[in-house]
Amino acid sequence: MARVNVFDTTLRDGEQSAGVNLNRLEKIEIAKQLERFGVDIMEAGFPASSQEDFNAVKEIADTVRNCSVTGLARSFKSDIDSAWEALKGGAEPRIHIFLATSPIHMTHKLKKTPEEVVETAVESVAYAKQRFPHVQWSAEDATRSDYDFLVHIIEKVIEAGADVINLPDTVGYTTPDEYAKLFKHVRENVRNSEGVIFSAHCHDDLGMAVSNSLSAIEAGAGQIEGTINGIGERAGNAALEEISVALEIRKDRYDFQTGLVLKEIKRTSDLVSKLTGMQVPGNKAVVGRNAFAHESGIHQDGVLKEATTYEIITPNMVGIESNNLVLGKHSGRHAFKQKAESFGFELSEAKLKEAFSSFKDLTGKKKEVTDEDLFAILTDKQTENEDVPKYELKAFQVQYGSVNRPTATILLTRPDGKEAEKAGTGEGSVEAIYNTLDDLLDEEVHLQDYQLSSIGKGRDALAEVYVQLTVNGKKASGRGSAQDVLEASAHAFLNAVNRTLHLSQTTHVKEVQL
């Protein structure tokens, strides 16, 4: 079977999803899980976009050793220099340079002639090749580009040193047969393409990202690009978990394989969903909570008699295990540590102690502590910034009734270590809490979005809240979990505010597309 490389861009294209704002610790945690998942190339970010992104890319490159870490760069020497400084410590440094090639982009965005675009592309690739052993070049909006022009510019960038050529469907416009035709045309007509890997990067605007990616593989693409859960700009990217399982299940059709560890799919999906705040739809292929649920009596009967009657994918294949009681109030710290390690977490002694304390508190409140509960506790502790001045909730009380206006009284510790207490009202309990917190904070805060979900099932399930705020004019996201919805809401609000307190000056280039 032919080997197809997997290029994961969850930390770059995925983070461009509206409302997603990962911090350094969260990016590193996702990176370590992607390494366990077995991706070949990991696009860790866009180093030139901000100091925060530069630091995260550098730390990921210095940490991850079992796959190649890359960073995105525009066709500017300054971007390439920034990428090299961030990535040079990696096990296999590479750079991903892009430049638009469609008439609409060259005319209206770049304001360059085709000849100028070719010159810019060649200069940037040649400059990057002086440092990077691996250079990937992307023809942005390739699917709306002229085929002959694509052949011409690809020949030139290969001469300049490009090792991988990416033909992205930037706006999710193409269809499977058209995309296959594009790859076949380029591979057959680019004279110096021998030894070069062609890559497919598909967006899902028309719902065909996975289908287009599979068509590209059949047409000779040696690399596939995508994200976990299909997150990304607008309607998102091709979902890597769907592509990998399709290749596995339909081996009769696709004579290709990846190096992905399929049993890590569910854990990877859950981690990305939790840290980005982007919930996986229940009917999502492969990883949705209903992917293996059977409501119909006919289906249930068939599955009980023979699972393959209605299940083409086994839950075990993608890492979905039975969610039974795993640890209880009598479990010790050693067992808890072993469970954390089985999840792939590497907590410091201080964070392990805090996580164990949170676990013990939970065992006194819940009848059963599930894998989902433990995963939430461990993720929160692993991605929590230590030794950073912050607002901390000490106590709160809410008075509420059907005929009374909700009133919240909150005591918190400020970043300077002093305590502050106030009471406030609102039309609802959550609004009362947020109005009171707003009065207690020095920052100017506005709530943009509020999402509430449960972790697991049952009336004693943990509540998880995800919020999007603007803090002093900057976008911020935060999450909080607790058995009480109101407590989780307060933690999410403060988490978003605290994240802005330690962020370096950022200048994200959010208009970047591929």
Side-chain angles (χ1 to χ4, degrees), residues 122-165:
V122 169
E123 287 180 354
S124 61
V125 169
Y127 184 73
K129 195 63 177 180
Q130 295 175 18
R131 298 179 179 180
F132 287 90
H134 302 287
V135 175
Q136 172 169 321
W137 183 80
S138 288
E140 184 184 9
D141 205 22
T143 55
R144 294 193 295 175
S145 299
D146 177 77
Y147 279 20
D148 291 336
F149 178 67
L150 274 179
V151 169
H152 174 63
I153 193 170
I154 289 171
E155 287 182 346
K156 293 298 183 182
V157 295
I158 290 175
E159 289 176 3
D163 309 286
V164 179
I165 300 296

Side-chain angles (χ1 to χ4, degrees), residues 29 54 139 180 194 197 206 234 253 275 287 297 358 452 486 496:
E29 200 56 38
F54 175 92
E194 186 176 350
I197 295 174
L206 296 179
R234 305 181 313 279
R253 166 67 186 272
L275 295 184
V287 292
S358 297
L452 171 65
L486 300 182

Side-chain angles (χ1 to χ4, degrees), residues 439-453:
D439 288 341
L440 284 165
L441 306 180
D442 294 331
E443 288 69 29
E444 183 180 347
V445 183
H446 298 283
L447 178 67
Q448 303 296 320
D449 190 28
Y450 174 96
Q451 299 175 28
L452 171 65
S453 60

Side-chain angles (χ1 to χ4, degrees), residues 35-212:
E35 184 180 23
R36 286 187 286 270
F37 185 32
V39 303
D40 299 288
I41 301 103
M42 183 190 307
E43 190 167 46
F46 185 5
S49 67
S50 71
Q51 187 63 46
E52 179 75 9
D53 218 30
F54 175 92
N55 292 340
V57 172
K58 185 177 189 309
E59 188 163 353
I60 291 169
D62 293 345
T63 301
V64 171
R65 311 318 289 175
N66 294 318
C67 70
S68 179
V69 178
T70 188
L72 186 69
R74 294 166 296 182
S75 298
F76 302 153
K77 289 185 176 180
S78 58
D79 275 26
I80 296 169
D81 290 340
S82 181
W84 173 248
E85 289 304 315
L87 295 160
K88 62 184 180 182
E92 190 181 344
R94 70 176 62 211
I95 190 171
H96 179 194
I97 304 172
F98 73 97
L99 189 62
T101 55
S102 66
I104 190 170
H105 275 248
M106 290 190 291
T107 301
H108 298 288
K109 188 181 78 172
L110 299 180
K111 301 188 184 302
K112 290 178 180 288
T113 65
E115 292 75 19
E116 290 173 327
V117 169
V118 173
E119 182 181 359
T120 301
V122 169
E123 287 180 354
S124 61
V125 169
Y127 184 73
K129 195 63 177 180
Q130 295 175 18
R131 298 179 179 180
F132 287 90
H134 302 287
V135 175
Q136 172 169 321
W137 183 80
S138 288
E140 184 184 9
D141 205 22
T143 55
R144 294 193 295 175
S145 299
D146 177 77
Y147 279 20
D148 291 336
F149 178 67
L150 274 179
V151 169
H152 174 63
I153 193 170
I154 289 171
E155 287 182 346
K156 293 298 183 182
V157 295
I158 290 175
E159 289 176 3
D163 309 286
V164 179
I165 300 296
N166 182 31
L167 302 175
D169 184 25
T170 301
V171 293
Y173 176 77
T174 199
T175 62
D177 61 320
E178 291 173 340
Y179 204 42
K181 181 181 176 181
L182 171 62
F183 273 84
K184 289 176 181 176
H185 181 86
V186 170
R187 291 181 65 242
E188 290 171 358
N189 290 278
V190 172
R191 293 168 297 180
N192 53 351
S193 64
E194 186 176 350
V196 171
I197 295 174
F198 285 91
S199 185
H201 178 115
C202 298
H203 281 264
D204 206 35
D205 296 73
L206 296 179
M208 291 187 281
V210 170
S211 296
N212 286 337

